[in-house]
Amino acid sequence: MPYYTVEGLQKIKEELRRLKTEERSRVAEQLSDARSQGDLSENAEYDAAKDAQRMLEHRIAKLQEVILHARVISREQINTSIVSILATVKIRSKGNDQEATYTLVAEEEANLKLGKLSVDSPLGRGLLGKKLGETVIIEAPSGKLSFEIQEIRNQPEPSQ
């Protein structure tokens, strides 16, 4: 069962609303335009619009499933004695001594530019359940990477 922040789940709900209203209307218009061009059996625009409709409906179904099974967790509920979802973790690479800080989040909230690492990524999976000072070894295409956990903390709730 995936855990989400309040703001992360709200973004998913907003995307779902946008897909169901704006995007469905846009795809329906594309289908209508393509149908009006005649023979559907040789109509590439119609085929492309049907493909877009299938992908849109698949994404809508996926988001509905996420929302149905999502559990909202607040940062105050995070146990900082181990790395868990929504914990912010500072790690140091044992290979080059560089440090990085990530907040572990659900896949749909991940954004490395914002320091949000998916718990489903290889590094995220490797960090989960580890304690301060432990070493995490991650298999990468270039070989094994080793990281030491320097800090585990909660981030404050964003102000509204």
Side-chain angles (χ1 to χ4, degrees):
M1 185 176 313
Y3 290 92
Y4 294 89
T5 59
V6 171
E7 62 272 9
L9 187 57
Q10 187 56 42
K11 285 179 184 176
I12 292 170
K13 288 178 179 179
E14 178 56 31
E15 179 183 359
L16 179 61
R17 184 210 57 78
R18 185 183 59 75
L19 293 177
K20 288 173 114 179
T21 57
E22 299 167 19
E23 290 301 310
R24 269 187 178 157
S25 295
R26 187 182 60 77
V27 169
E29 190 175 307
Q30 287 175 343
L31 278 168
S32 177
D33 290 348
R35 272 192 205 103
S36 69
Q37 294 178 12
D39 184 9
L40 299 181
S41 64
E42 296 181 16
N43 187 331
E45 285 183 39
Y46 180 77
D47 290 341
K50 287 298 283 181
D51 286 345
Q53 182 184 40
R54 273 190 291 279
M55 289 189 309
L56 174 64
E57 293 304 323
H58 176 65
R59 179 70 179 154
I60 287 171
K62 181 179 179 190
L63 292 177
Q64 287 173 327
E65 186 74 12
V66 165
I67 292 167
L68 180 66
H69 296 289
R71 289 193 52 197
V72 175
I73 188 168
S74 71
R75 287 172 173 86
E76 291 78 36
Q77 295 172 284
I78 304 304
N79 173 2
T80 56
S81 67
I82 62 167
V83 178
S84 61
I85 191 160
L86 297 185
T88 298
V89 184
K90 182 177 177 182
I91 58 174
R92 182 181 51 80
S93 170
K94 289 191 167 191
N96 61 15
D97 229 22
Q98 288 188 331
E99 292 182 344
T101 301
Y102 299 107
T103 300
L104 273 68
V105 296
E107 180 69 35
E108 291 80 11
E109 291 187 68
N111 183 334
L112 282 180
K113 289 181 183 177
L114 299 176
K116 295 181 176 185
L117 179 70
S118 169
V119 292
D120 295 324
S121 68
L123 180 56
R125 281 193 307 271
L127 289 169
L128 285 175
K130 298 294 190 275
K131 295 179 181 179
L132 186 65
E134 279 193 75
T135 297
V136 177
I137 298 173
I138 306 298
E139 286 288 335
S142 60
K144 292 182 180 185
L145 302 175
S146 182
F147 302 94
E148 182 182 341
I149 298 174
Q150 302 282 300
E151 181 181 8
I152 304 169
R153 69 178 191 275
N154 285 339
Q155 286 287 85
E157 294 285 349
S159 54
Q160 298 295 331

PDB file of all heavy atoms in Angstrom, residues 73-105:
ATOM      1  N   ILE A  73       0.255   9.959   4.954  1.00  0.00           N
ATOM      2  CA  ILE A  73       1.067   9.896   6.160  1.00  0.00           C
ATOM      3  C   ILE A  73       1.659  11.283   6.403  1.00  0.00           C
ATOM      4  O   ILE A  73       2.059  11.967   5.467  1.00  0.00           O
ATOM      5  CB  ILE A  73       2.177   8.828   6.016  1.00  0.00           C
ATOM      6  CG1 ILE A  73       2.909   8.623   7.327  1.00  0.00           C
ATOM      7  CG2 ILE A  73       3.124   9.139   4.902  1.00  0.00           C
ATOM      8  CD1 ILE A  73       3.801   7.394   7.337  1.00  0.00           C
ATOM      9  N   SER A  74       1.657  11.690   7.636  1.00  0.00           N
ATOM     10  CA  SER A  74       2.253  12.994   7.956  1.00  0.00           C
ATOM     11  C   SER A  74       3.686  12.768   8.408  1.00  0.00           C
ATOM     12  O   SER A  74       4.050  11.686   8.879  1.00  0.00           O
ATOM     13  CB  SER A  74       1.453  13.705   9.042  1.00  0.00           C
ATOM     14  OG  SER A  74       1.633  13.075  10.278  1.00  0.00           O
ATOM     15  N   ARG A  75       4.461  13.793   8.294  1.00  0.00           N
ATOM     16  CA  ARG A  75       5.876  13.683   8.649  1.00  0.00           C
ATOM     17  C   ARG A  75       6.071  13.392  10.138  1.00  0.00           C
ATOM     18  O   ARG A  75       7.071  12.825  10.523  1.00  0.00           O
ATOM     19  CB  ARG A  75       6.598  14.939   8.204  1.00  0.00           C
ATOM     20  CG  ARG A  75       6.766  14.971   6.691  1.00  0.00           C
ATOM     21  CD  ARG A  75       7.304  16.297   6.207  1.00  0.00           C
ATOM     22  NE  ARG A  75       7.601  16.253   4.785  1.00  0.00           N
ATOM     23  CZ  ARG A  75       6.705  16.490   3.834  1.00  0.00           C
ATOM     24  NH1 ARG A  75       5.473  16.756   4.147  1.00  0.00           N
ATOM     25  NH2 ARG A  75       7.059  16.442   2.564  1.00  0.00           N
ATOM     26  N   GLU A  76       5.106  13.786  10.964  1.00  0.00           N
ATOM     27  CA  GLU A  76       5.226  13.510  12.403  1.00  0.00           C
ATOM     28  C   GLU A  76       5.148  12.016  12.703  1.00  0.00           C
ATOM     29  O   GLU A  76       5.579  11.567  13.752  1.00  0.00           O
ATOM     30  CB  GLU A  76       4.130  14.234  13.202  1.00  0.00           C
ATOM     31  CG  GLU A  76       4.284  15.746  13.246  1.00  0.00           C
ATOM     32  CD  GLU A  76       3.828  16.406  11.961  1.00  0.00           C
ATOM     33  OE1 GLU A  76       2.840  15.946  11.337  1.00  0.00           O
ATOM     34  OE2 GLU A  76       4.473  17.382  11.552  1.00  0.00           O
ATOM     35  N   GLN A  77       4.584  11.237  11.797  1.00  0.00           N
ATOM     36  CA  GLN A  77       4.447   9.801  11.989  1.00  0.00           C
ATOM     37  C   GLN A  77       5.720   9.033  11.628  1.00  0.00           C
ATOM     38  O   GLN A  77       5.801   7.837  11.860  1.00  0.00           O
ATOM     39  CB  GLN A  77       3.293   9.263  11.137  1.00  0.00           C
ATOM     40  CG  GLN A  77       1.932   9.792  11.547  1.00  0.00           C
ATOM     41  CD  GLN A  77       0.876   9.369  10.546  1.00  0.00           C
ATOM     42  OE1 GLN A  77       0.781   9.926   9.467  1.00  0.00           O
ATOM     43  NE2 GLN A  77       0.082   8.374  10.915  1.00  0.00           N
ATOM     44  N   ILE A  78       6.702   9.720  11.082  1.00  0.00           N
ATOM     45  CA  ILE A  78       7.908   9.053  10.603  1.00  0.00           C
ATOM     46  C   ILE A  78       8.832   8.724  11.767  1.00  0.00           C
ATOM     47  O   ILE A  78       9.153   9.561  12.597  1.00  0.00           O
ATOM     48  CB  ILE A  78       8.669   9.955   9.591  1.00  0.00           C
ATOM     49  CG1 ILE A  78       7.747  10.352   8.439  1.00  0.00           C
ATOM     50  CG2 ILE A  78       9.914   9.264   9.074  1.00  0.00           C
ATOM     51  CD1 ILE A  78       7.120   9.214   7.712  1.00  0.00           C
ATOM     52  N   ASN A  79       9.270   7.486  11.800  1.00  0.00           N
ATOM     53  CA  ASN A  79      10.237   7.016  12.787  1.00  0.00           C
ATOM     54  C   ASN A  79      11.628   7.285  12.209  1.00  0.00           C
ATOM     55  O   ASN A  79      12.030   6.648  11.240  1.00  0.00           O
ATOM     56  CB  ASN A  79      10.025   5.518  13.023  1.00  0.00           C
ATOM     57  CG  ASN A  79      11.075   4.902  13.894  1.00  0.00           C
ATOM     58  OD1 ASN A  79      11.971   5.570  14.390  1.00  0.00           O
ATOM     59  ND2 ASN A  79      10.972   3.595  14.082  1.00  0.00           N
ATOM     60  N   THR A  80      12.346   8.220  12.797  1.00  0.00           N
ATOM     61  CA  THR A  80      13.648   8.576  12.237  1.00  0.00           C
ATOM     62  C   THR A  80      14.791   7.704  12.761  1.00  0.00           C
ATOM     63  O   THR A  80      15.953   7.996  12.499  1.00  0.00           O
ATOM     64  CB  THR A  80      13.971  10.067  12.496  1.00  0.00           C
ATOM     65  OG1 THR A  80      13.900  10.310  13.894  1.00  0.00           O
ATOM     66  CG2 THR A  80      13.021  10.965  11.733  1.00  0.00           C
ATOM     67  N   SER A  81      14.463   6.628  13.452  1.00  0.00           N
ATOM     68  CA  SER A  81      15.539   5.717  13.860  1.00  0.00           C
ATOM     69  C   SER A  81      15.943   4.809  12.700  1.00  0.00           C
ATOM     70  O   SER A  81      17.005   4.203  12.724  1.00  0.00           O
ATOM     71  CB  SER A  81      15.117   4.881  15.074  1.00  0.00           C
ATOM     72  OG  SER A  81      14.073   4.003  14.725  1.00  0.00           O
ATOM     73  N   ILE A  82      15.082   4.730  11.679  1.00  0.00           N
ATOM     74  CA  ILE A  82      15.397   3.982  10.464  1.00  0.00           C
ATOM     75  C   ILE A  82      14.940   4.803   9.263  1.00  0.00           C
ATOM     76  O   ILE A  82      14.108   5.700   9.386  1.00  0.00           O
ATOM     77  CB  ILE A  82      14.711   2.592  10.420  1.00  0.00           C
ATOM     78  CG1 ILE A  82      13.184   2.734  10.432  1.00  0.00           C
ATOM     79  CG2 ILE A  82      15.210   1.681  11.512  1.00  0.00           C
ATOM     80  CD1 ILE A  82      12.441   1.475  10.088  1.00  0.00           C
ATOM     81  N   VAL A  83      15.461   4.483   8.097  1.00  0.00           N
ATOM     82  CA  VAL A  83      15.052   5.154   6.868  1.00  0.00           C
ATOM     83  C   VAL A  83      13.705   4.582   6.445  1.00  0.00           C
ATOM     84  O   VAL A  83      13.544   3.365   6.340  1.00  0.00           O
ATOM     85  CB  VAL A  83      16.096   4.959   5.751  1.00  0.00           C
ATOM     86  CG1 VAL A  83      15.614   5.617   4.467  1.00  0.00           C
ATOM     87  CG2 VAL A  83      17.441   5.502   6.163  1.00  0.00           C
ATOM     88  N   SER A  84      12.729   5.463   6.260  1.00  0.00           N
ATOM     89  CA  SER A  84      11.401   5.040   5.810  1.00  0.00           C
ATOM     90  C   SER A  84      10.865   6.094   4.840  1.00  0.00           C
ATOM     91  O   SER A  84      11.477   7.141   4.640  1.00  0.00           O
ATOM     92  CB  SER A  84      10.462   4.878   7.001  1.00  0.00           C
ATOM     93  OG  SER A  84      10.315   6.115   7.668  1.00  0.00           O
ATOM     94  N   ILE A  85       9.716   5.809   4.265  1.00  0.00           N
ATOM     95  CA  ILE A  85       9.117   6.751   3.341  1.00  0.00           C
ATOM     96  C   ILE A  85       8.891   8.078   4.063  1.00  0.00           C
ATOM     97  O   ILE A  85       8.550   8.109   5.241  1.00  0.00           O
ATOM     98  CB  ILE A  85       7.822   6.199   2.709  1.00  0.00           C
ATOM     99  CG1 ILE A  85       7.378   7.106   1.559  1.00  0.00           C
ATOM    100  CG2 ILE A  85       6.737   6.017   3.749  1.00  0.00           C
ATOM    101  CD1 ILE A  85       6.450   6.457   0.579  1.00  0.00           C
ATOM    102  N   LEU A  86       9.134   9.165   3.374  1.00  0.00           N
ATOM    103  CA  LEU A  86       9.045  10.559   3.823  1.00  0.00           C
ATOM    104  C   LEU A  86      10.185  10.989   4.734  1.00  0.00           C
ATOM    105  O   LEU A  86      10.257  12.149   5.113  1.00  0.00           O
ATOM    106  CB  LEU A  86       7.699  10.879   4.472  1.00  0.00           C
ATOM    107  CG  LEU A  86       6.490  10.743   3.569  1.00  0.00           C
ATOM    108  CD1 LEU A  86       5.242  11.216   4.298  1.00  0.00           C
ATOM    109  CD2 LEU A  86       6.653  11.487   2.274  1.00  0.00           C
ATOM    110  N   ALA A  87      11.084  10.089   5.070  1.00  0.00           N
ATOM    111  CA  ALA A  87      12.267  10.494   5.835  1.00  0.00           C
ATOM    112  C   ALA A  87      13.235  11.192   4.886  1.00  0.00           C
ATOM    113  O   ALA A  87      13.322  10.860   3.701  1.00  0.00           O
ATOM    114  CB  ALA A  87      12.939   9.281   6.468  1.00  0.00           C
ATOM    115  N   THR A  88      13.947  12.163   5.401  1.00  0.00           N
ATOM    116  CA  THR A  88      14.999  12.819   4.637  1.00  0.00           C
ATOM    117  C   THR A  88      16.325  12.219   5.101  1.00  0.00           C
ATOM    118  O   THR A  88      16.595  12.160   6.301  1.00  0.00           O
ATOM    119  CB  THR A  88      14.959  14.335   4.861  1.00  0.00           C
ATOM    120  OG1 THR A  88      13.696  14.814   4.391  1.00  0.00           O
ATOM    121  CG2 THR A  88      16.068  15.042   4.104  1.00  0.00           C
ATOM    122  N   VAL A  89      17.102  11.759   4.129  1.00  0.00           N
ATOM    123  CA  VAL A  89      18.320  11.015   4.419  1.00  0.00           C
ATOM    124  C   VAL A  89      19.513  11.698   3.769  1.00  0.00           C
ATOM    125  O   VAL A  89      19.486  12.009   2.587  1.00  0.00           O
ATOM    126  CB  VAL A  89      18.215   9.570   3.865  1.00  0.00           C
ATOM    127  CG1 VAL A  89      19.428   8.759   4.233  1.00  0.00           C
ATOM    128  CG2 VAL A  89      16.955   8.905   4.334  1.00  0.00           C
ATOM    129  N   LYS A  90      20.533  11.924   4.565  1.00  0.00           N
ATOM    130  CA  LYS A  90      21.793  12.453   4.040  1.00  0.00           C
ATOM    131  C   LYS A  90      22.742  11.266   3.929  1.00  0.00           C
ATOM    132  O   LYS A  90      22.941  10.531   4.905  1.00  0.00           O
ATOM    133  CB  LYS A  90      22.366  13.506   4.986  1.00  0.00           C
ATOM    134  CG  LYS A  90      23.644  14.138   4.501  1.00  0.00           C
ATOM    135  CD  LYS A  90      24.052  15.223   5.503  1.00  0.00           C
ATOM    136  CE  LYS A  90      25.354  15.862   5.157  1.00  0.00           C
ATOM    137  NZ  LYS A  90      25.729  16.875   6.175  1.00  0.00           N
ATOM    138  N   ILE A  91      23.293  11.062   2.723  1.00  0.00           N
ATOM    139  CA  ILE A  91      24.202   9.944   2.496  1.00  0.00           C
ATOM    140  C   ILE A  91      25.539  10.463   1.966  1.00  0.00           C
ATOM    141  O   ILE A  91      25.607  11.548   1.392  1.00  0.00           O
ATOM    142  CB  ILE A  91      23.610   8.906   1.514  1.00  0.00           C
ATOM    143  CG1 ILE A  91      23.276   9.556   0.163  1.00  0.00           C
ATOM    144  CG2 ILE A  91      22.408   8.217   2.108  1.00  0.00           C
ATOM    145  CD1 ILE A  91      22.821   8.584  -0.902  1.00  0.00           C
ATOM    146  N   ARG A  92      26.574   9.675   2.186  1.00  0.00           N
ATOM    147  CA  ARG A  92      27.907  10.007   1.673  1.00  0.00           C
ATOM    148  C   ARG A  92      28.395   8.820   0.862  1.00  0.00           C
ATOM    149  O   ARG A  92      28.381   7.683   1.334  1.00  0.00           O
ATOM    150  CB  ARG A  92      28.870  10.290   2.819  1.00  0.00           C
ATOM    151  CG  ARG A  92      30.291  10.696   2.340  1.00  0.00           C
ATOM    152  CD  ARG A  92      31.250  10.950   3.492  1.00  0.00           C
ATOM    153  NE  ARG A  92      31.300   9.879   4.475  1.00  0.00           N
ATOM    154  CZ  ARG A  92      31.995   8.744   4.325  1.00  0.00           C
ATOM    155  NH1 ARG A  92      32.671   8.516   3.228  1.00  0.00           N
ATOM    156  NH2 ARG A  92      31.987   7.831   5.276  1.00  0.00           N
ATOM    157  N   SER A  93      28.815   9.111  -0.365  1.00  0.00           N
ATOM    158  CA  SER A  93      29.366   8.072  -1.220  1.00  0.00           C
ATOM    159  C   SER A  93      30.740   7.684  -0.707  1.00  0.00           C
ATOM    160  O   SER A  93      31.592   8.539  -0.484  1.00  0.00           O
ATOM    161  CB  SER A  93      29.483   8.574  -2.662  1.00  0.00           C
ATOM    162  OG  SER A  93      30.224   7.659  -3.430  1.00  0.00           O
ATOM    163  N   LYS A  94      30.951   6.402  -0.507  1.00  0.00           N
ATOM    164  CA  LYS A  94      32.260   5.934  -0.045  1.00  0.00           C
ATOM    165  C   LYS A  94      33.275   5.928  -1.185  1.00  0.00           C
ATOM    166  O   LYS A  94      34.469   5.901  -0.950  1.00  0.00           O
ATOM    167  CB  LYS A  94      32.141   4.543   0.577  1.00  0.00           C
ATOM    168  CG  LYS A  94      31.414   4.587   1.916  1.00  0.00           C
ATOM    169  CD  LYS A  94      31.540   3.277   2.629  1.00  0.00           C
ATOM    170  CE  LYS A  94      31.097   3.438   4.060  1.00  0.00           C
ATOM    171  NZ  LYS A  94      31.430   2.268   4.858  1.00  0.00           N
ATOM    172  N   GLY A  95      32.770   6.003  -2.414  1.00  0.00           N
ATOM    173  CA  GLY A  95      33.665   6.006  -3.570  1.00  0.00           C
ATOM    174  C   GLY A  95      34.327   7.347  -3.811  1.00  0.00           C
ATOM    175  O   GLY A  95      35.515   7.429  -4.102  1.00  0.00           O
ATOM    176  N   ASN A  96      33.569   8.438  -3.690  1.00  0.00           N
ATOM    177  CA  ASN A  96      34.135   9.754  -3.988  1.00  0.00           C
ATOM    178  C   ASN A  96      33.919  10.769  -2.864  1.00  0.00           C
ATOM    179  O   ASN A  96      34.191  11.949  -3.037  1.00  0.00           O
ATOM    180  CB  ASN A  96      33.576  10.293  -5.300  1.00  0.00           C
ATOM    181  CG  ASN A  96      32.080  10.462  -5.269  1.00  0.00           C
ATOM    182  OD1 ASN A  96      31.450  10.449  -4.208  1.00  0.00           O
ATOM    183  ND2 ASN A  96      31.482  10.631  -6.435  1.00  0.00           N
ATOM    184  N   ASP A  97      33.381  10.331  -1.748  1.00  0.00           N
ATOM    185  CA  ASP A  97      33.180  11.168  -0.558  1.00  0.00           C
ATOM    186  C   ASP A  97      32.164  12.295  -0.753  1.00  0.00           C
ATOM    187  O   ASP A  97      32.092  13.202   0.057  1.00  0.00           O
ATOM    188  CB  ASP A  97      34.525  11.747  -0.080  1.00  0.00           C
ATOM    189  CG  ASP A  97      34.715  11.524   1.407  1.00  0.00           C
ATOM    190  OD1 ASP A  97      34.080  10.619   1.958  1.00  0.00           O
ATOM    191  OD2 ASP A  97      35.504  12.273   2.016  1.00  0.00           O
ATOM    192  N   GLN A  98      31.384  12.256  -1.830  1.00  0.00           N
ATOM    193  CA  GLN A  98      30.363  13.286  -2.044  1.00  0.00           C
ATOM    194  C   GLN A  98      29.138  12.973  -1.208  1.00  0.00           C
ATOM    195  O   GLN A  98      28.806  11.810  -0.981  1.00  0.00           O
ATOM    196  CB  GLN A  98      29.973  13.376  -3.517  1.00  0.00           C
ATOM    197  CG  GLN A  98      31.037  13.991  -4.376  1.00  0.00           C
ATOM    198  CD  GLN A  98      30.536  14.235  -5.786  1.00  0.00           C
ATOM    199  OE1 GLN A  98      29.672  13.524  -6.280  1.00  0.00           O
ATOM    200  NE2 GLN A  98      31.088  15.241  -6.433  1.00  0.00           N
ATOM    201  N   GLU A  99      28.463  14.042  -0.769  1.00  0.00           N
ATOM    202  CA  GLU A  99      27.249  13.887   0.021  1.00  0.00           C
ATOM    203  C   GLU A  99      26.043  14.294  -0.801  1.00  0.00           C
ATOM    204  O   GLU A  99      26.130  15.147  -1.683  1.00  0.00           O
ATOM    205  CB  GLU A  99      27.330  14.742   1.290  1.00  0.00           C
ATOM    206  CG  GLU A  99      28.370  14.246   2.267  1.00  0.00           C
ATOM    207  CD  GLU A  99      28.412  15.063   3.545  1.00  0.00           C
ATOM    208  OE1 GLU A  99      27.853  16.186   3.575  1.00  0.00           O
ATOM    209  OE2 GLU A  99      29.003  14.576   4.521  1.00  0.00           O
ATOM    210  N   ALA A 100      24.912  13.685  -0.479  1.00  0.00           N
ATOM    211  CA  ALA A 100      23.636  14.020  -1.114  1.00  0.00           C
ATOM    212  C   ALA A 100      22.544  13.832  -0.079  1.00  0.00           C
ATOM    213  O   ALA A 100      22.675  13.019   0.839  1.00  0.00           O
ATOM    214  CB  ALA A 100      23.380  13.119  -2.319  1.00  0.00           C
ATOM    215  N   THR A 101      21.476  14.600  -0.236  1.00  0.00           N
ATOM    216  CA  THR A 101      20.341  14.496   0.673  1.00  0.00           C
ATOM    217  C   THR A 101      19.086  14.253  -0.155  1.00  0.00           C
ATOM    218  O   THR A 101      18.840  14.961  -1.138  1.00  0.00           O
ATOM    219  CB  THR A 101      20.186  15.786   1.510  1.00  0.00           C
ATOM    220  OG1 THR A 101      21.396  15.993   2.248  1.00  0.00           O
ATOM    221  CG2 THR A 101      19.026  15.680   2.469  1.00  0.00           C
ATOM    222  N   TYR A 102      18.305  13.251   0.246  1.00  0.00           N
ATOM    223  CA  TYR A 102      17.081  12.889  -0.456  1.00  0.00           C
ATOM    224  C   TYR A 102      15.946  12.683   0.540  1.00  0.00           C
ATOM    225  O   TYR A 102      16.171  12.205   1.644  1.00  0.00           O
ATOM    226  CB  TYR A 102      17.247  11.575  -1.235  1.00  0.00           C
ATOM    227  CG  TYR A 102      18.309  11.614  -2.293  1.00  0.00           C
ATOM    228  CD1 TYR A 102      19.516  10.945  -2.109  1.00  0.00           C
ATOM    229  CD2 TYR A 102      18.103  12.301  -3.475  1.00  0.00           C
ATOM    230  CE1 TYR A 102      20.503  10.971  -3.082  1.00  0.00           C
ATOM    231  CE2 TYR A 102      19.087  12.324  -4.460  1.00  0.00           C
ATOM    232  CZ  TYR A 102      20.276  11.665  -4.253  1.00  0.00           C
ATOM    233  OH  TYR A 102      21.246  11.695  -5.214  1.00  0.00           O
ATOM    234  N   THR A 103      14.751  12.996   0.101  1.00  0.00           N
ATOM    235  CA  THR A 103      13.548  12.619   0.833  1.00  0.00           C
ATOM    236  C   THR A 103      12.932  11.464   0.063  1.00  0.00           C
ATOM    237  O   THR A 103      12.715  11.565  -1.146  1.00  0.00           O
ATOM    238  CB  THR A 103      12.553  13.794   0.934  1.00  0.00           C
ATOM    239  OG1 THR A 103      13.192  14.866   1.628  1.00  0.00           O
ATOM    240  CG2 THR A 103      11.291  13.380   1.672  1.00  0.00           C
ATOM    241  N   LEU A 104      12.675  10.349   0.744  1.00  0.00           N
ATOM    242  CA  LEU A 104      12.103   9.186   0.086  1.00  0.00           C
ATOM    243  C   LEU A 104      10.595   9.352  -0.050  1.00  0.00           C
ATOM    244  O   LEU A 104       9.917   9.642   0.937  1.00  0.00           O
ATOM    245  CB  LEU A 104      12.438   7.913   0.860  1.00  0.00           C
ATOM    246  CG  LEU A 104      13.779   7.289   0.486  1.00  0.00           C
ATOM    247  CD1 LEU A 104      14.937   8.159   0.910  1.00  0.00           C
ATOM    248  CD2 LEU A 104      13.899   5.911   1.026  1.00  0.00           C
ATOM    249  N   VAL A 105      10.106   9.180  -1.266  1.00  0.00           N
ATOM    250  CA  VAL A 105       8.687   9.392  -1.561  1.00  0.00           C
ATOM    251  C   VAL A 105       8.168   8.274  -2.465  1.00  0.00           C
ATOM    252  O   VAL A 105       8.942   7.483  -3.000  1.00  0.00           O
ATOM    253  CB  VAL A 105       8.464  10.763  -2.261  1.00  0.00           C
ATOM    254  CG1 VAL A 105       8.839  11.922  -1.349  1.00  0.00           C
ATOM    255  CG2 VAL A 105       9.234  10.846  -3.574  1.00  0.00           C
TER     256      VAL A 105
END
